[in-house]
Amino acid sequence: MFLPRAILATLLACAYPAHASSISDQPYPGTIVLKVDATNTAQQIFRVRESIPAQPGKLTLLYPQWVVGNHGPSGTLSQFAGLKVFANGKQIDWVRDTVNVYAFHIDVPQGASSVDVEFQYLSPTEAAQGRTTMTNDILGVQWQSVTLYPAGYDSRKITMQANLTVPKDWQYGTALETAQRSGDEIAFKPLDLEAMMDSPLFAGRYFRRIDLDPGARIPVHLNVVADSADQLEATPEQIAPHRAMVQQAYKLFNSQHYKHYDFLFAISDEFGGIGREHHQSSENGVKLGYFTEWSKHEARRELLPHEFTHSWNGKFRRPADQNVPNFNTPLQNSLLWVYEGQTQYWGAVLAARSGLIKAEHTRDLLAATAARYDNVKGREWRAVQDTTNDPIVNGRRPQGWNNWQRAEDYYSEGELIWLDADTLIRELSGDKRSLNDFARRFFGVDDGVNVAKHYTFEDVVRELNAIQPYDWATFLRSRLDGHGPRAPLAGLARAGWKLVYTEKPTDFLKAQEEQSKSANFQYSLGFSVGAEGKLEAFQWDGLGFKAGLSGGSTLLAVNGRAYKAEVLRAAITAAKTSKDPIKLLVKKGNLYQTYEFDYHEGLKYPRLERISGTPDRLEAILQPMK
């Protein structure tokens, strides 16, 4: 009897649980063979085929929802298309679960020992559709976007054998181990689903592999793909600090938890930018000029040490509440202030210790971070601990009032908290111990093991106490759960520095503004001005806010003159010796309106200033380890 599809869907929804209530502790029988054709770069389409061992009866296949390293339910289901299922050589129906839309229910017919599925992953062709993962010259394979897997099994007990076809003569980098390459068809060695998902691949027409630890037993490579061959040209002087970064990480963490490590590094204006951690690799994407305009893009060089740190912090040592059985079980993010916050700290420290970023410029970046969080009004209602939920709540969507709403502040405010902890350990121990010792003790265990070792809040507190006895639980909870009113800047003072505001930005921060084509007036008028006069980054209850300004507005003129950043800077400076208000002509929609600012305190830009008579612990922190 033929059942209408609506009735069939209802019956199947009853027959198959929408959410797997139990996960088998047995291995999934057989090996899933995955074949991805990534040759259609012109239309940016990945074509996927899978052969999945199966027994007759009910089978649920899942499309990954909780993406590796992304902390939220950001699976790219909207780019998934064309699903067809076959058994015994015939096409069979599938039904999507009406509650869990990432689940697809199948009735495997008698006599079948497997099902074959095919579908496409449609890489975004425009920025509004999402991050571009395929261009004419570069492609990135994130296996969660091209994989269906059976429900009811631990992802670490599902064996996968991945195959990839790349465009003719393209080269690739990945943490996966290659079993065979025949022409442009690559077969990888079988491994478990979790490890495969955690091992993406970058391939490109223009490719270069740079050895970052020559002669080492455990290799580390920088696999570079780019829009053109000239972007691959790195000088020995540019490679040297990348190699130093690897050695400084080894001295800090005193361990390695990978068989080999591969930086996947794209230099492109077309391929989507990214910074995402994996246990034995990382995805990194920056705009053109990383090597060819070396002096202009120094701040970008914090990306690689941040992602490298994650091999220890976040991947090897992993929060216990992120120990989930598969990629459709919700994560809990309560310890992201360790996972990401301490990584933000070590990323900045390693960048300075290795020479990727000059120590004085690291101070400038720290000043910008301190000023930003010292002026976050949102801490009145939202503690930094709650921002660990933001990848789930907001998923990095644009915000109208970030200063009030807050976002993923556990990254950079977390950096300030760990600076606070580091300097406190140094002070209490008479500068005999530091957070370096915590890193060795916490991340340096089980050298050579690449299986995740999970931790709790209590574990972090216990290991801090082992380094320096103190009430670390109260120290951390007061900073994570408190409401300020200001940022946790005690670490700066203990390091011998204080946050001040001057009328001129540091040369480094000025160069950052020029590159971003923005102008920062947040600490004077209470907003920034982006490209083409767009008003943005408002301070809640700042002067701009109180005047009635909001996003979606364009600054057209200052005191009757067409807006340029230097015109507004000059007007703010002139107002110091004048009683006249600063007049801004602003357009929002079809409305033109003049706003007056009775402000006479001049320009204000953050920088760090030494506290005389105190030890310079920040200099000690940023010094290379010996």
Side-chain angles (χ1 to χ4, degrees):
M1 180 178 70
F2 176 79
L3 292 176
R5 193 168 183 82
I7 296 176
L8 178 62
T10 301
L11 292 174
L12 284 172
C14 296
Y16 299 85
H19 303 278
S21 58
S22 62
I23 301 291
S24 172
D25 61 357
Q26 298 300 310
Y28 187 75
T31 296
I32 298 174
V33 177
L34 171 68
K35 295 183 178 181
V36 179
D37 184 335
T39 58
N40 190 354
T41 58
Q43 294 177 304
Q44 297 161 263
I45 297 171
F46 294 84
R47 296 191 178 274
V48 183
R49 293 180 181 272
E50 277 185 272
S51 179
I52 303 172
Q55 299 298 317
K58 299 173 178 59
L59 173 68
T60 296
L61 298 179
L62 300 175
Y63 189 74
Q65 182 178 12
W66 292 79
V67 175
V68 170
N70 215 32
H71 313 316
S74 57
T76 53
L77 192 60
S78 60
Q79 271 92 50
F80 173 92
L83 177 61
K84 295 180 181 179
V85 183
F86 302 87
N88 293 330
K90 297 180 180 180
Q91 187 170 347
I92 60 176
D93 278 340
W94 57 265
V95 175
R96 189 194 302 263
D97 195 286
T98 55
V99 176
N100 177 9
V101 295
Y102 286 78
F104 301 88
H105 303 309
I106 300 164
D107 200 351
V108 181
Q110 291 297 317
S113 58
S114 66
V115 294
D116 297 314
V117 301
E118 64 178 50
F119 61 90
Q120 301 85 44
Y121 172 67
L122 310 175
S123 175
T125 56
E126 298 178 6
Q129 299 167 6
R131 177 179 167 268
T132 300
T133 56
M134 181 183 281
T135 74
N136 285 325
D137 301 303
I138 301 172
L139 65 87
V141 179
Q142 296 176 316
W143 300 105
Q144 71 270 6
S145 297
V146 293
T147 302
L148 288 169
Y149 70 95
Y153 288 84
D154 190 312
S155 61
R156 287 158 282 206
K157 295 185 177 182
I158 299 173
T159 301
M160 304 286 299
Q161 194 273 307
N163 302 268
L164 177 68
T165 304
V166 297
K168 183 176 173 56
D169 297 329
W170 282 29
Q171 300 300 310
Y172 64 94
T174 180
L176 294 178
E177 296 186 4
T178 301
Q180 179 181 350
R181 178 167 186 173
S182 177
D184 299 316
E185 297 182 358
I186 307 156
F188 297 103
K189 294 180 180 179
L191 74 172
D192 67 80
L193 176 63
E194 182 178 279
M196 187 188 79
M197 294 288 197
D198 201 33
S199 304
L201 176 149
F202 279 10
R205 185 187 312 276
Y206 308 105
F207 178 89
R208 180 182 181 186
R209 175 170 289 135
I210 301 172
D211 190 345
L212 294 186
D213 197 4
R217 177 177 59 87
I218 300 177
V220 178
H221 288 112
L222 182 65
N223 302 280
V224 191
V225 291
D227 288 348
S228 57
D230 65 292
Q231 294 294 316
L232 306 176
E233 297 175 5
T235 67
E237 292 75 20
Q238 292 168 344
I239 294 172
H242 293 84
R243 289 176 170 166
M245 177 260 294
V246 172
Q247 297 307 314
Q248 286 297 312
Y250 290 165
K251 291 176 181 179
L252 175 63
F253 299 119
N254 197 35
S255 62
Q256 295 162 297
H257 300 286
Y258 42 79
K259 297 178 180 178
H260 54 91
Y261 190 91
D262 286 87
F263 289 98
L264 312 181
F265 191 45
I267 305 174
S268 174
D269 282 348
E270 298 181 18
F271 188 72
I274 191 172
R276 187 169 296 167
E277 66 275 10
H278 302 279
H279 199 143
Q280 300 188 106
S281 64
S282 56
E283 298 170 89
N284 309 272
V286 298
K287 296 293 185 182
L288 296 179
Y290 184 85
F291 292 121
T292 58
E293 297 178 293
W294 181 253
S295 62
K296 292 184 179 180
H297 303 296
E298 189 173 348
R300 292 182 186 176
R301 301 201 284 269
E302 196 173 295
L303 175 61
L304 295 181
H306 177 102
E307 301 304 339
F308 193 39
T309 295
H310 270 313
S311 181
W312 290 268
N313 185 15
K315 303 308 293 184
F316 169 59
R317 294 309 308 264
R318 199 175 303 180
D321 59 9
Q322 296 209 338
N323 184 16
V324 294
N326 63 27
F327 298 97
N328 292 71
T329 302
L331 297 172
Q332 297 180 65
N333 291 335
S334 67
L335 289 165
L336 284 185
W337 52 272
V338 184
Y339 181 134
E340 293 290 4
Q342 194 175 134
T343 296
Q344 190 78 1
Y345 181 66
W346 289 130
V349 169
L350 288 175
R353 289 179 181 175
S354 64
L356 281 168
I357 298 179
K358 294 178 181 177
E360 59 267 32
H361 295 164
T362 298
R363 289 199 301 268
D364 290 344
L365 291 170
L366 188 57
T369 296
R372 177 183 175 187
Y373 289 99
D374 206 37
N375 288 274
V376 168
K377 291 287 289 184
R379 72 175 65 251
E380 291 180 10
W381 72 276
R382 191 178 186 193
V384 69
Q385 176 67 69
D386 187 61
T387 70
T388 63
N389 296 304
D390 214 67
I392 302 169
V393 172
N394 187 52
R396 297 189 175 176
R397 287 183 288 271
Q399 294 177 310
W401 303 99
N402 173 266
N403 183 263
W404 182 243
Q405 294 168 276
R406 309 199 72 172
E408 296 178 52
D409 292 352
Y410 54 85
Y411 275 90
S412 294
E413 189 163 330
E415 178 184 4
L416 297 176
I417 291 172
W418 287 108
L419 172 65
D420 200 352
D422 193 353
T423 55
L424 182 57
I425 293 171
R426 291 169 186 264
E427 181 181 71
L428 292 174
S429 67
D431 292 304
K432 294 179 181 178
R433 293 181 293 278
S434 69
L435 202 64
N436 294 340
D437 299 291
F438 171 85
R440 291 191 196 96
R441 183 180 177 93
F442 196 69
F443 303 113
V445 297
D446 300 340
D447 183 29
V449 174
N450 64 354
V451 177
K453 186 179 182 70
H454 297 89
Y455 63 85
T456 64
F457 176 83
E458 289 74 22
D459 293 330
V460 175
V461 169
R462 183 179 62 253
E463 297 302 324
L464 284 168
N465 271 308
I467 299 302
Q468 177 61 53
Y470 190 70
D471 186 0
W472 289 107
T474 299
F475 173 93
L476 293 169
R477 292 266 50 105
S478 63
R479 286 155 180 78
L480 295 166
D481 302 330
H483 293 280
R486 316 296 294 188
L489 300 186
L492 271 180
R494 215 178 284 115
W497 295 80
K498 63 181 177 181
L499 174 66
V500 299
Y501 296 88
T502 60
E503 293 189 3
K504 291 185 178 180
T506 66
D507 291 341
F508 183 70
L509 293 181
K510 181 180 178 181
Q512 293 300 107
E513 277 195 25
E514 291 172 352
Q515 289 171 32
S516 64
K517 298 180 181 179
S518 64
N520 184 354
F521 302 101
Q522 291 186 45
Y523 310 117
S524 52
L525 298 185
F527 55 81
S528 289
V529 187
E532 299 179 355
K534 180 183 178 182
L535 297 181
E536 57 193 17
F538 288 90
Q539 296 285 324
W540 187 268
D541 281 343
L543 290 182
F545 178 92
K546 290 178 178 177
L549 291 171
S550 68
S553 303
T554 302
L555 177 56
L556 300 178
V558 179
N559 293 339
R561 297 182 61 193
Y563 168 75
K564 292 183 180 179
E566 58 267 30
V567 172
L568 182 50
R569 293 190 191 105
I572 294 173
T573 300
K576 287 181 63 181
T577 56
S578 170
K579 295 182 179 180
D580 295 333
I582 301 167
K583 297 180 181 180
L584 305 183
L585 177 62
V586 175
K587 178 180 182 291
K588 183 172 185 178
N590 294 322
L591 179 65
Y592 292 77
Q593 188 170 346
T594 297
Y595 295 83
E596 296 190 357
F597 289 81
D598 189 18
Y599 176 77
H600 306 281
E601 297 178 20
L603 294 164
K604 294 182 179 180
Y605 296 100
R607 67 172 68 211
L608 296 186
E609 184 178 278
R610 278 285 285 129
I611 302 172
S612 61
T614 63
D616 189 350
R617 292 192 175 99
L618 187 55
E619 180 183 19
I621 289 169
L622 301 181
Q623 284 294 311
M625 297 182 71
K626 297 181 180 179

